[in-house]
Amino acid sequence: MATMVKSFAIQGIDGYCVDIEIKMLEGQPATLIIGLGDQAVKEAAERIQAAIDESGYVFPKKRVIISLAPSDKKKRGSHFDLAMAVGVLQQNGDIGAKNLSDYGFIGELSLDGRLRECRGILPMIIAGQKKGVKKIIVPEANIKEACLVHGVEILGFHDIGTVIRYLEGKSIVAGKYQEEKDLDVSGKSLDFKDVKGQDELIEAAVLAAAGGHNMLMIGEPGCGKTMIAQRIPTILPEMTEEECLEVTKIHSISGLLPSGHSLMKYRPFRAPHHNASLNALIGGGVNAMPGEVSLAHNGVLFLDELAEFSRRTLDALRQPIEDKKVSISRVNSTHTFPANFMFITAMNPCPCGYYPSKKCKCTDYEIIKYRGKISGPIMDRIDIQKEVHPVNFFEIADQKSYCSSEELRNKVKSARLIQQERYSNEKGINCNAQMTTELIQKYCGLDKESLDILRETSEKYAYSARVIHKLLRLARTSADLEGVEKIRQKDIEKVLLCRDLDKSNSEMVVIK
């Protein structure tokens, strides 16, 4: 009769339970692992044999067959080691008649029997909870992350020897999670009170944060674009527990959680370099890992020097920006990762970076060609396009700051609360940027004067329907910031001033 133990695997950001069945047969000693495992799974045979020998037991001199079910799903990673080792010992009669059906096992074995930490623990524990597993044994180094899931007893051990003694009832001492101060990864030292001379741009940043809108800043080098972008996460509302779990799962799968770290409570800020590959930005690779768009989920994705990114890479952002998720297809599987982020970008106005100052020597043609590196569909998806003007250091040295991040966050939170109440019955809609066409018609009604202004501007700059919808969403956010029920004419005028790039481009004349 075969022995059955449980372990877990991940596919995308979700986990699933893996039943590991062990059978021993007479014949030439060998260990065969079947069930579409990768190279790390196949090499487990040598690791578990060395670990069992080091723990004081003898690896059976038989033909050992280990099956990982479901056998039609590919499995990767070294975290199946512990489950396979326990199953072998149970099948060989080395562990007493302890019922293992209530247990799940996760952990990589070193050659001396120690348990090494694994990545992707959180989604695997959640999969165990859904499967009804009552107790899950993990490496001590992973216990803090594993304990984020409630309703499952988490037991942390240092090596396989203590695991065996616990299962036999000889030892009941297991690692316990102790509450510690959460790691601050938000950059709390950053504050908007450090920004001076850019009051108009800060107002635009608050408008973007209040409604979850995308934003482009265009201006000379050193005028404060990156400085402001880095501070936008400090004015966003705190994440809910559900959002924290989503972010933590993605970073756990990617192996980016610091050792011993628990729940990520601060919104992520990702700023990939402009030479980042398509797979690095969108996700992919042999094992389909999350990219920067998913690592920025529920936070901010900041692309500096936007025009320096390859056009192919930027155009790949179209679908994630609109759908708030990204699907990566492989021959045998499709992985879907969430990608609900604020898209914040910055770029220079021309190749030399100094248009329209006297320092700029670029022609209109060169400027238009430079800006043309960014396709129209990407520009359509950016709600706010603000020009950033340089500031005089000596004039602003003694100037009072516009506002602190805490004051701005309170304004943003008030606007978000209005939106959450408005969309309380709308599934998947949390802020104005996510409004559907139907909701725009319902909540973004305009009076005749406002509609005439919008129509006139649209005809002048040839706005697409998508841009007009984005302007209406922005106007709704502008009204929410002041707690007004209906969109006013001043809200329409305000958001039309957020399209500086359209005005700048229209002033250029190219002679062929």
Side-chain angles (χ1 to χ4, degrees), residues 267-416:
R267 295 190 180 273
F269 177 84
R270 303 295 299 183
H273 192 262
H274 59 74
N275 68 354
S277 67
L278 180 62
N279 283 351
L281 193 63
I282 303 300
V286 177
N287 294 321
M289 298 299 291
E292 293 290 341
V293 296
S294 297
L295 293 171
H297 180 61
N298 290 330
V300 173
L301 176 66
F302 175 54
L303 300 189
D304 202 0
E305 304 296 346
L306 186 65
E308 302 302 326
F309 282 81
S310 73
R311 182 155 183 160
R312 178 170 173 263
T313 300
L314 286 180
D315 284 346
L317 288 171
R318 296 183 192 181
Q319 183 251 343
I321 291 174
E322 283 294 306
D323 298 343
K324 306 301 182 184
K325 62 182 179 180
V326 59
S327 296
I328 302 168
S329 297
R330 291 293 178 264
V331 175
N332 295 318
S333 61
T334 298
H335 303 275
T336 300
F337 298 108
N340 185 14
F341 55 88
M342 272 186 69
F343 185 44
I344 307 297
T345 66
M347 62 179 286
N348 294 329
C350 66
C352 76
Y354 293 100
Y355 176 84
S357 72
K358 294 180 180 179
K359 295 169 66 176
C360 178
K361 305 299 179 184
C362 303
T363 65
D364 282 359
Y365 174 76
E366 289 173 329
I367 296 172
I368 291 176
K369 183 180 178 181
Y370 179 77
R371 297 181 181 183
K373 293 181 179 180
I374 307 163
S375 66
I378 288 294
M379 295 303 295
D380 265 5
R381 286 166 168 79
I382 298 176
D383 310 51
I384 300 173
Q385 304 167 4
K386 290 295 292 182
E387 289 185 345
V388 188
H389 303 288
V391 294
N392 187 310
F393 173 80
F394 301 100
E395 291 179 359
I396 67 170
D398 298 325
Q399 182 178 325
K400 186 179 179 182
S401 59
Y402 178 77
C403 261
S404 68
S405 288
E406 185 177 356
E407 293 171 304
L408 296 178
R409 174 184 273 189
N410 289 334
K411 293 177 63 176
V412 170
K413 286 173 67 175
S414 298
R416 286 286 183 110

Side-chain angles (χ1 to χ4, degrees), residues 3-275:
T3 293
M4 184 82 73
V5 292
K6 293 184 181 69
S7 191
F8 311 92
I10 50 175
Q11 185 172 16
I13 65 164
D14 297 317
Y16 62 93
C17 188
V18 175
D19 292 324
I20 301 179
E21 191 174 11
I22 293 94
K23 182 75 173 179
M24 294 184 185
L25 304 173
E26 297 297 331
Q28 184 70 25
T31 303
L32 181 63
I33 302 176
I34 58 177
L36 290 184
D38 67 355
Q39 189 63 31
V41 175
K42 293 175 182 176
E43 291 175 350
E46 304 300 328
R47 290 195 299 272
I48 63 176
Q49 182 171 346
I52 287 175
D53 290 341
E54 283 291 323
S55 64
Y57 295 88
V58 178
F59 193 85
K61 306 299 182 183
K62 298 180 181 179
R63 181 176 173 82
V64 181
I65 302 175
I66 303 175
S67 175
L68 281 63
S71 297
D72 59 342
K73 286 187 178 182
K74 287 189 174 182
K75 302 162 192 74
R76 56 187 172 88
S78 56
H79 58 274
F80 300 107
D81 292 4
L82 178 60
M84 289 190 283
V86 170
V88 167
L89 291 172
Q90 173 78 353
Q91 178 68 15
N92 199 43
D94 293 323
I95 298 179
K98 182 78 174 181
N99 185 7
L100 301 181
S101 60
D102 292 339
Y103 289 86
F105 300 89
I106 303 173
E108 175 188 337
L109 289 172
S110 63
L111 298 182
D112 61 359
R114 286 180 294 111
L115 289 176
R116 297 183 183 275
E117 63 179 308
C118 306
R119 68 182 185 183
I121 286 286
L122 185 56
M124 290 191 281
I125 298 294
I126 293 173
Q129 181 194 40
K130 292 179 179 177
K131 191 70 174 180
V133 179
K134 298 177 181 178
K135 300 178 181 180
I136 299 180
I137 293 177
V138 301
E140 273 187 337
N142 289 120
I143 192 169
K144 189 173 183 182
E145 180 185 346
C147 286
L148 295 175
V149 182
H150 303 293
V152 180
E153 184 178 353
I154 304 298
L155 304 168
F157 291 93
H158 176 264
D159 56 61
I160 187 173
T162 53
V163 173
I164 295 170
R165 288 194 293 275
Y166 170 79
L167 293 174
E168 291 181 330
K170 297 177 181 177
S171 172
I172 58 171
V173 179
K176 297 294 183 181
Y177 167 62
Q178 295 181 348
E179 187 71 32
E180 298 175 7
K181 186 178 180 181
D182 289 306
L183 181 65
D184 186 352
V185 294
S186 66
K188 292 184 74 174
S189 59
L190 300 177
D191 198 293
F192 266 101
K193 66 183 179 184
D194 302 326
V195 183
K196 298 180 181 179
Q198 296 291 3
D199 295 356
E200 187 178 341
L201 186 60
I202 293 176
E203 287 183 3
V206 171
L207 181 64
H213 304 288
N214 303 325
M215 180 177 177
L216 166 67
M217 296 172 283
I218 179 168
E220 295 183 15
C223 61
K225 304 185 296 294
T226 304
M227 187 179 188
I228 286 176
Q230 291 173 336
R231 285 159 175 76
I232 288 178
T234 67
I235 64 173
L236 292 173
E238 296 87 351
M239 290 194 291
T240 63
E241 185 176 355
E242 183 180 355
E243 289 176 328
C244 291
L245 278 172
E246 288 177 349
V247 173
T248 307
K249 281 168 64 176
I250 295 169
H251 283 72
S252 175
I253 292 167
S254 302
L256 297 178
L257 283 181
S259 179
H261 178 48
S262 63
L263 197 65
M264 291 187 65
K265 295 186 177 180
Y266 302 99
R267 295 190 180 273
F269 177 84
R270 303 295 299 183
H273 192 262
H274 59 74
N275 68 354

